[in-house]
Amino acid sequence: IKQSTWGITARSNMSVVIVNPFSSGAALAPAFKKDGYHSTAVISSRAIPSAITSSLRLSDFQGVFYHDDLDSTIAMLADLSPCAVVAGSESGVELADLLSEKLGLRSNGTRLSEARRDKYVQSETVRAAGIRAVQQHMSENVESLCDWAVSFSRWPVIVKPLRSTGSDGVSKCYNAEDIRSAFNAIVSQNNKFGEPNQGVLVQEYLDGPQYVIDTMSKDGQHYIATYWKYDLLHINGSPFVYDKEEILPSVGDVQKQLKEYVFKVLDALEIRNGPTMTEVRICVDGSCLVELGARLHGVDGPRLASEAIEVAAQQELMMDVVLGGTLFDKVVHTDYALRKHAMIVFLVSHVEGVVRSVDVEQLRSLPGFVDMACTATNGSTLTKTIDLFSSPGRVLLAHDEEAVVRQAYTTLRTLERTTLFEVETNDC
């Protein structure tokens, strides 16, 4: 990314600052622009890999800056007189907290910023508030992790980095040797944000259905924007292959349980403003936090939610609050209504080799097709899918009839194993 300063003038609160506008945050600047607001991008670190920053479109912004020191960044932003500072993605959460607080804007403050990013601190903060939290141990010493797991004596356990995303570095371990292997894999490389992995986390394995709850908060009031059912596959030797995310109705026994739990978690983490994406498993002893991200639902979540939900989904509510609207106040005590059944399906590769062709028209012809992203192209190398980052893409589906969406999902999984990818393998 080349730092730029074109077109920057003070705009009397007609400017929004987006910290690390990657993933779903890449869509914020164009959306703000439609409402007459200019966006400035602040990149929190020069170490963020190009695989993350590639979603940034320079033309969407009046300026793009790297954050090198606080005084310089604050001075630059103060001249813009922005109406808000928001996190565009997970890696921007802490800096967005700091900048919004320093500028006197609507903010969650910095007192619990670390708890909103560090998975260990996050769960310990939730536990300290008297809320069910995962049993865990953090250490920079692998034998300390092994000793804890042996003492805990409930296998398997989960080993993962303190800060990352998308199942990066997450392993399901059945013994001490598995833990040692997972530990070495984590500490030998940076996480997906380019940050060094300092310390490793071992947690109890939470057995139960997993849900993602998207919220929006304003001055301490919380609203459930979307409930998602979240499914993983055990394929290619990995238990962390993303299968699908399906939008659920807003009302039901499960939804009631999740709402009560998540609102307690938001308060414990002092989230008073902005969007969150919270992953929760419902275990035999109740709901338990997997992790929370204090930002929009990642990648295509906001896009599909807007397609499926009446009135306003998470991104629209975030923009309403940022721009001083009244929509949030009108819906905060209501439940959202679905106009379509919707699902994000993550593509899975069962083979590896050089891609000769990808028949994307088969995907476009699926009933209920909304959009797609496919990273596999002619001449590229396809690997077997073992996590989110090795998925060759995703397909967004939405239709008035639930059965149509489910049949499209089944058809897609068949295509993956038959005619979707033509690959030249290295098999003899």
Side-chain angles (χ1 to χ4, degrees):
I1 299 173
K2 182 180 290 186
Q3 182 160 294
S4 59
T5 58
W6 66 86
I8 291 229
T9 56
R11 294 186 179 274
S12 184
N13 294 99
M14 295 296 285
S15 177
V16 178
V17 175
I18 308 173
V19 182
N20 293 0
F22 315 132
S23 184
S24 56
L28 287 175
F32 282 126
K33 194 171 186 178
K34 288 182 180 178
D35 285 322
Y37 285 73
H38 298 267
S39 296
T40 297
V42 174
I43 312 303
S44 64
S45 169
R46 295 179 184 271
I48 298 175
S50 59
I52 298 292
T53 63
S54 60
S55 58
L56 180 71
R57 294 184 294 265
L58 296 179
S59 59
D60 290 336
F61 299 91
Q62 65 170 350
V64 179
F65 295 89
Y66 279 103
H67 168 72
D68 291 317
D69 67 89
L70 183 60
D71 289 344
S72 298
T73 301
I74 290 294
M76 182 272 295
L77 296 183
D79 288 342
L80 290 175
S81 186
C83 66
V85 177
V86 300
S89 57
E90 184 71 16
S91 59
V93 167
E94 288 170 299
L95 182 56
D97 284 346
L98 178 59
L99 296 178
S100 57
E101 183 178 72
K102 289 290 186 182
L103 292 169
L105 301 171
R106 182 176 271 126
S107 176
N108 287 319
T110 56
R111 197 180 82 86
L112 291 183
S113 280
E114 184 183 19
R116 294 189 283 269
R117 272 288 281 124
D118 184 295
K119 295 178 175 65
Y120 175 77
V121 178
Q122 186 172 100
S123 287
E124 291 306 307
T125 302
V126 169
R127 191 189 329 281
I131 305 167
R132 164 71 161 107
V134 65
Q135 297 297 313
Q136 61 178 359
H137 177 65
M138 185 273 292
S139 179
E140 297 182 12
N141 183 289
V142 65
E143 294 308 318
S144 176
L145 299 177
C146 292
D147 289 345
W148 181 90
V150 170
S151 176
F152 184 61
S153 71
R154 283 167 48 190
W155 301 91
V157 294
I158 298 297
V159 174
K160 61 184 180 182
L162 297 178
R163 298 170 176 239
S164 197
T165 189
S167 72
D168 171 37
V170 179
S171 296
K172 191 175 182 180
C173 299
Y174 292 85
N175 51 52
E177 193 55 42
D178 287 349
I179 293 175
R180 293 185 184 99
S181 296
F183 177 91
N184 291 333
I186 291 171
V187 299
S188 65
Q189 59 187 359
N190 292 343
N191 67 22
K192 292 298 182 180
F193 301 122
E195 302 165 331
N197 284 314
Q198 298 176 333
V200 174
L201 187 58
V202 59
Q203 296 180 327
E204 69 171 300
Y205 173 68
L206 298 173
D207 193 7
Q210 187 160 342
Y211 300 88
V212 173
I213 303 92
D214 295 342
T215 66
M216 182 62 201
S217 301
K218 177 184 177 183
D219 300 332
Q221 284 192 300
H222 310 308
Y223 177 73
I224 303 289
T226 321
Y227 293 100
W228 302 77
K229 179 67 172 60
Y230 179 98
D231 292 315
L232 298 173
L233 297 170
H234 195 146
I235 284 179
N236 298 328
S238 170
F240 300 111
V241 174
Y242 281 50
D243 178 21
K244 62 183 183 298
E245 294 183 63
E246 182 177 0
I247 295 180
L248 301 178
S250 61
V251 178
D253 291 340
V254 168
Q255 290 88 331
K256 180 180 179 182
Q257 179 179 344
L258 291 170
K259 181 177 182 178
E260 292 175 355
Y261 179 81
V262 168
F263 280 10
K264 291 178 182 177
V265 169
L266 296 179
D267 289 339
L269 296 174
E270 295 185 0
I271 292 174
R272 295 181 49 79
N273 295 291
T276 67
M277 175 185 176
T278 306
E279 298 178 34
V280 175
R281 281 192 184 266
I282 296 183
C283 307
V284 291
D285 59 345
S287 300
C288 187
L289 177 69
V290 177
E291 59 186 62
L292 174 147
R295 37 75 181 176
L296 286 172
H297 191 115
V299 195
D300 301 304
R303 163 79 190 283
L304 190 61
S306 297
E307 181 82 17
I309 293 175
E310 296 278 6
V311 184
Q314 188 185 41
Q315 180 175 307
E316 288 78 21
L317 291 169
M318 175 188 179
M319 294 182 61
D320 171 77
V321 171
V322 166
L323 303 183
T326 60
L327 180 58
F328 179 90
D329 301 321
K330 293 176 181 177
V331 303
V332 66
H333 298 299
T334 68
D335 298 308
Y336 67 79
L338 286 181
R339 62 170 172 245
K340 291 183 180 181
H341 298 275
M343 181 186 296
I344 300 174
V345 185
F346 297 90
L347 297 179
V348 175
S349 168
H350 303 272
V351 297
E352 51 189 18
V354 177
V355 177
R356 293 307 176 205
S357 67
V358 183
D359 194 348
V360 294
E361 291 308 313
Q362 292 185 92
L363 300 178
R364 297 184 190 281
S365 65
L366 290 169
F369 175 86
V370 175
D371 202 356
M372 64 172 290
C374 185
T375 59
T377 56
N378 293 356
S380 66
T381 299
L382 189 66
T383 61
K384 290 183 179 180
T385 304
I386 57 171
D387 56 17
L388 176 63
F389 296 100
S390 54
S391 167
R394 56 202 175 272
V395 176
L396 278 60
L397 302 171
H399 197 275
D400 296 342
E401 298 181 25
E402 181 180 359
V404 172
V405 174
R406 298 201 178 283
Q407 182 56 53
Y409 165 81
T410 301
T411 301
L412 187 156
R413 290 294 182 228
T414 300
L415 292 173
E416 286 173 336
R417 291 183 176 274
T418 54
T419 58
L420 180 59
F421 302 113
E422 182 183 346
V423 176
E424 181 179 318
T425 67
N426 295 323
D427 297 338
C428 297

